[in-house]
Amino acid sequence: MKDNKIIEKLSLLKSVQPDAETLRLIRKRIPLQKPSDKKFSFYKRLTISPLVPLVAIACILILLIAIANFIPQNHYEKAKIAVANANVQFAAYKKSPTNDQQINSLSHSLALANIQMTNLKLVGEKGKYTMKDCLSLYSTYHASLETMKKSVSSQNSSKEVKLLSEIKQYEEQSEKKMHKYSE
Amino acid sequence: MEEKKFSNVYKEFSGNIFRYIYFKVSDYEVAADLTADTFTRFWKVSLREPIENTKAFLFSIANGIIIDYYRKKKKQKKVSLDVIDEWLLGVIDKNEEVLSNKQEITYIFLKLKKIKKPYQDILLLYYVEELNVDEISLIINKTENNTRVMLHRALQALKKIL
């Protein structure tokens, strides 16, 4: 059979056409839904795009790292800052020893310094601070307490009396801990 | 794409798409389902991006849908395609112009089923659906030269068994 004849036979298949009713029924099965124009809520965005939660988590991590950099990393750092703060408050107290507010501030800063110093481990913490660092800080703290004890008068007011007893108490505690180094 | 424009596309090409799918699957119900699927997919794509060659794109979607259908069907029972579906006989019987060629149509249809599937596709697309070589090459994902060679071989393959 010649090619032309075959092509002619194939062309006969063109005459096979579905009727209008068939096409109408098929058309009914096609759902023409447009995507919703409503704005997505934040939660929906999170669930739809896999990138959004990843970006959100990355942002939170970066934020946490940034915050962590401003926060002292260990007890030693915290104690150092607390002792320095107590010394600053003491300097302020010396300028106006009769001011009740200054006495209160010094009392609070000393209490905080004492807590932080008590949390220090004498043997140090691996990767954070050594025994030598700890001892040096305790010496500074103890020396500061001794200076404060000499400067605070016990005759001016009841607040000062209370402050002096606190200083003495802290000094005793630091002395006890310092003794452990020599043992 | 707007619904009105889609309706015009459907009006223009639904008959061709249905016929092409029907010749491939030989089942009226399946052909109707797959035609609906083809236009549904076309509608979804048209909402996202502009379509350059609507006709070629529709046949390309139809081809993909037919492949998916056979892939699923392979896992199920096998059905012989060497039968003429009642719908086709009904269409021929209803149409007086076609009725005189009834024997020839059924004969060529059954013979076409005997050659390789890619050859069936290319003959149907070129001689029945009247797509050009350029469009067919896009649909079957081959170069224009390869498409021409394939078309020639397909015709020879059909010639051999006629």
Side-chain angles (χ1 to χ4, degrees):
Chain A
M1 194 184 283
K2 283 185 179 174
D3 286 1
N4 283 349
K5 197 80 181 158
I6 300 167
I7 293 166
E8 211 175 276
K9 279 186 185 294
L10 277 170
S11 300
L12 285 175
L13 293 176
K14 283 183 205 169
S15 56
V16 177
Q17 282 283 354
D19 56 14
E21 182 59 14
T22 302
L23 295 177
R24 198 183 60 80
L25 290 173
I26 295 171
R27 174 73 173 80
K28 275 188 172 177
R29 295 187 204 177
I30 304 167
L32 297 184
Q33 287 168 338
K34 282 195 173 182
S36 172
D37 291 332
K38 281 180 192 171
K39 282 187 178 176
F40 285 126
S41 67
F42 179 71
Y43 178 74
K44 272 190 178 176
R45 275 180 198 278
L46 279 182
T47 52
I48 286 169
S49 167
L51 270 180
V52 174
L54 287 177
V55 170
I57 289 166
C59 287
I60 291 167
L61 278 177
I62 291 166
L63 196 68
L64 285 176
I65 290 166
I67 291 168
N69 280 333
F70 286 102
I71 295 170
Q73 297 296 308
N74 54 42
H75 290 313
Y76 176 74
E77 291 288 329
K78 286 179 186 173
K80 207 172 161 183
I81 292 167
V83 170
N85 183 48
N87 282 327
V88 169
Q89 294 301 331
F90 176 62
Y93 161 80
K94 273 209 302 188
K95 281 179 190 170
S96 50
T98 50
N99 188 333
D100 280 0
Q101 209 177 331
Q102 291 296 346
I103 296 170
N104 282 339
S105 299
L106 178 60
S107 173
H108 286 143
S109 63
L110 276 172
L112 184 68
N114 187 57
I115 290 168
Q116 296 301 339
M117 290 303 287
T118 321
N119 284 335
L120 273 185
K121 288 177 184 168
L122 293 178
V123 287
E125 274 188 84
K126 204 177 176 185
K128 291 178 181 174
Y129 60 95
T130 61
M131 183 194 264
K132 203 179 163 188
D133 292 333
C134 191
L135 183 60
S136 158
L137 188 62
Y138 253 105
S139 304
T140 314
Y141 176 58
H142 191 257
S144 301
L145 288 171
E146 275 203 329
T147 316
M148 287 178 205
K149 194 173 79 177
K150 284 174 192 167
S151 302
V152 175
S153 164
S154 60
Q155 289 161 358
N156 288 342
S157 68
S158 60
K159 283 201 173 183
E160 275 183 310
V161 174
K162 195 184 160 212
L163 177 67
L164 190 62
S165 73
E166 281 169 0
I167 293 170
K168 282 178 182 170
Q169 190 193 333
Y170 300 148
E171 195 192 11
E172 268 176 41
Q173 281 178 13
S174 72
E175 257 177 7
K176 274 183 192 170
K177 210 158 185 180
M178 294 261 285
H179 275 300
K180 286 188 180 176
Y181 281 103
S182 49
E183 283 171 1
Chain B
M1 183 180 274
E2 291 165 14
E3 273 193 48
K4 200 178 172 188
K5 210 172 169 190
F6 174 82
S7 293
N8 291 337
V9 170
Y10 183 81
K11 221 175 190 179
E12 194 176 348
F13 300 112
S14 57
N16 300 55
I17 294 294
F18 176 86
R19 180 173 58 200
Y20 176 69
I21 295 174
Y22 177 81
F23 284 145
K24 296 287 293 166
V25 297
S26 310
D27 184 306
Y28 169 80
E29 274 304 322
V30 174
D33 278 346
L34 300 188
T35 304
D37 289 349
T38 302
F39 279 94
T40 306
R41 206 177 284 182
F42 172 83
W43 165 251
K44 283 177 183 168
V45 175
S46 73
L47 290 175
R48 291 199 307 264
E49 54 198 75
I51 292 154
E52 282 180 23
N53 189 333
T54 306
K55 192 178 180 184
F57 186 59
L58 274 168
F59 277 99
S60 175
I61 296 173
N63 243 3
I65 281 176
I66 293 165
I67 290 167
D68 284 349
Y69 165 74
Y70 278 114
R71 206 171 282 157
K72 281 176 198 164
K73 203 176 166 72
K74 251 185 191 177
K75 291 173 189 169
Q76 299 165 4
K77 56 177 183 179
K78 273 200 167 182
V79 177
S80 169
L81 297 173
D82 297 346
V83 284
I84 300 279
D85 176 90
E86 273 178 30
W87 177 79
L88 179 59
L89 295 174
V91 168
I92 298 170
D93 288 339
K94 273 183 206 167
N95 193 334
E96 281 180 21
E97 288 172 35
V98 185
L99 194 56
S100 54
N101 295 317
K102 184 178 179 178
Q103 267 192 328
E104 282 196 278
I105 289 172
T106 52
Y107 176 73
I108 194 79
F109 175 72
L110 289 174
K111 286 293 177 189
L112 195 65
K113 291 276 165 194
K114 302 271 182 200
I115 61 172
K116 282 184 192 174
K117 276 202 164 71
Y119 286 171
Q120 291 176 28
D121 295 349
I122 205 164
L123 289 176
L124 285 171
L125 290 170
Y126 192 78
Y127 294 110
V128 182
E129 305 306 339
E130 296 177 332
L131 280 109
N132 59 41
V133 173
D134 180 32
E135 289 170 326
I136 296 171
S137 66
L138 288 174
I139 296 166
I140 62 173
N141 207 14
K142 296 226 187 282
T143 63
E144 277 189 46
N145 275 343
N146 282 345
T147 308
R148 265 181 239 284
V149 171
M150 208 172 148
L151 186 61
H152 175 74
R153 286 180 184 162
L155 201 60
Q156 297 314 306
L158 185 62
K159 193 177 173 180
K160 245 185 203 174
I161 56 168
L162 283 178

